[in-house]
Amino acid sequence: MKFDIARQPLVPAFLTLAALAVVAMWNAGGPAVSMAVQAGHAAGTVDIGRNAAGALAVSSPGELLAQFQAAHPVWARWIAGLLMLFTGMSVGRLTVRYNLYSVGTCLAIPLYGAIACGLAVSGDCLTTFAASALLALATKNFCRSYCNGFGFDAIFRASLYIGLLPLVATAAAPLLILLPLAVMLFRRTLREVAVAVAGLLLPALTLCYVNWAAGGEFLAQVAEPGSAFIAGTPLSLFLSTPVQNLVLPGAVFLLDLTALLFFLSDIYALGTKPRLIFIFNISALLLTAAALCGPAATPATVALAAVPSAVLLPFMFVRIHRAIALPLYLLLLASAVISAVLQ
């Protein structure tokens, strides 16, 4: 019996994800990376100390993660690897639960692992996979909020995760637009919108209150990331990245574009819920691309594209011929491993 890679069962999908997580974490904590993270941690500590008597009195969640990785690099790699496994399984469960591809497949799980392993080329692996996990959890809960009754719990959780995302990765601020997009796509009521806005604002307001209670300014924790987001030059990430490091992101972009064309050609053959979920993930992918073009983008921001890409790409794999799908899949895995090893 021939093995159809497009209709991949759970066990080989999970084993592939686990192997990719090992490869990604094995190469995430080399000496050069540790020195870079520690240097960034030291600079951040100086800034916090300088602002302790003024605007900033406490560290943001992203800074706390960077400090933890600098102090405990081995534990940080273990936690980042577990976050990668958790995010991949969450994405795969989402695709299976809502039957997005009309066939039984767990292909989204290893595809997430391949894309995340190949694109997570920065040293701050803990921040990278924490932000990716937040985006996956927000996507899952936004999809769960699309129901016949009220979805207060699901939309509150999703908004909470989206509100946390810019506090972990400043460049991810454009993804806040996912909240009004989800409200319109999934047809939520005004009462649910009020709950969603409360969930979105809760992380920032809590951090501002803690900063104010510690002696800083109330809005400093929001103003500082805002200043960091607009400071700098647009497209600085692409201008400062070597050309060879742009090959894999460019290939993933072309695959996403091909999957989008397949989706548009079959859009009316899908059910209402799968169609809206795909549109939501395509929008998330476009917003991630916008974040990469912003002045605050870092190499860690690239890994955010793994979540919507892992949802979208299997739509192409289940529709192309098996003789093309298998070499393409193996080439993507090989490229991810090579990129992770050579980083």
Side-chain angles (χ1 to χ4, degrees):
M1 183 178 66
K2 295 182 179 180
F3 179 65
D4 190 356
I5 199 69
R7 288 155 178 81
Q8 191 167 152
L10 177 61
V11 174
F14 175 77
L15 292 178
T16 305
L17 174 64
L20 290 168
V22 171
V23 172
M25 294 305 108
W26 187 271
N27 296 279
V33 170
S34 298
M35 292 177 61
V37 173
Q38 291 175 3
H41 163 56
T45 303
V46 171
D47 290 338
I48 293 297
R50 183 171 59 249
N51 292 319
L56 294 176
V58 296
S59 301
S60 67
E63 292 168 342
L64 291 175
L65 291 175
Q67 292 170 16
F68 180 85
Q69 181 174 345
H72 308 282
V74 177
W75 280 107
R77 277 188 288 169
W78 275 100
I79 297 173
L82 292 176
L83 285 173
M84 183 176 175
L85 291 176
F86 170 77
T87 307
M89 295 303 293
S90 297
V91 172
R93 184 175 182 272
L94 169 71
T95 61
V96 172
R97 178 179 181 180
Y98 298 112
N99 194 23
L100 297 185
Y101 315 116
S102 302
V103 295
T105 178
C106 296
L107 186 59
I109 297 175
L111 284 179
Y112 168 79
I115 298 171
C117 177
L119 297 186
V121 295
S122 68
D124 49 345
C125 60
L126 187 57
T127 304
T128 299
F129 290 106
S132 185
L134 288 174
L135 180 58
L137 287 171
T139 302
K140 181 186 74 172
N141 282 279
F142 274 133
C143 297
R144 191 163 65 90
S145 70
Y146 185 43
C147 54
N148 292 329
F150 292 110
F152 292 113
D153 175 65
I155 201 167
F156 177 81
R157 290 170 182 262
S159 303
L160 184 69
Y161 297 135
I162 286 294
L164 276 171
L165 191 54
L167 302 180
V168 173
T170 304
L175 292 172
L176 294 174
I177 303 176
L178 287 176
L179 175 57
L181 180 66
V183 168
M184 291 185 294
L185 281 177
F186 301 139
R187 304 166 189 171
R188 297 298 87 201
T189 63
L190 289 178
R191 281 180 285 182
E192 290 170 302
V193 171
V195 171
V197 171
L200 182 72
L201 297 178
L202 182 60
L205 291 178
T206 302
L207 187 60
C208 288
Y209 177 79
V210 172
N211 185 70
W212 172 75
E217 296 181 4
F218 184 78
L219 294 178
Q221 288 289 350
V222 177
E224 289 290 331
S227 301
F229 181 77
I230 61 176
T233 306
L235 300 176
S236 58
L237 176 63
F238 298 102
L239 296 176
S240 61
T241 303
V243 177
Q244 62 270 19
N245 291 344
L246 296 176
V247 174
L248 184 58
V252 173
F253 173 76
L254 290 177
L255 290 176
D256 287 331
L257 183 59
T258 305
L260 175 60
L261 295 177
F262 274 98
F263 167 72
L264 293 177
S265 65
D266 291 345
I267 186 170
Y268 294 109
L270 299 174
T272 302
K273 193 165 189 175
R275 186 190 313 145
L276 294 178
I277 291 175
F278 274 120
I279 293 174
F280 179 83
N281 278 277
I282 291 169
S283 303
L285 186 61
L286 294 176
L287 290 174
T288 303
L292 292 175
C293 296
T298 64
T301 314
V302 184
L304 288 174
V307 174
S309 295
V311 176
L312 183 61
L313 285 182
F315 195 89
M316 175 192 67
F317 277 93
V318 300
R319 281 162 174 77
I320 60 179
H321 195 272
R322 182 185 305 173
I324 302 175
L326 181 58
L328 187 61
Y329 174 76
L330 295 177
L331 181 61
L332 181 60
L333 291 184
S335 301
V337 172
I338 293 172
S339 178
V341 170
L342 296 181
Q343 67 178 350

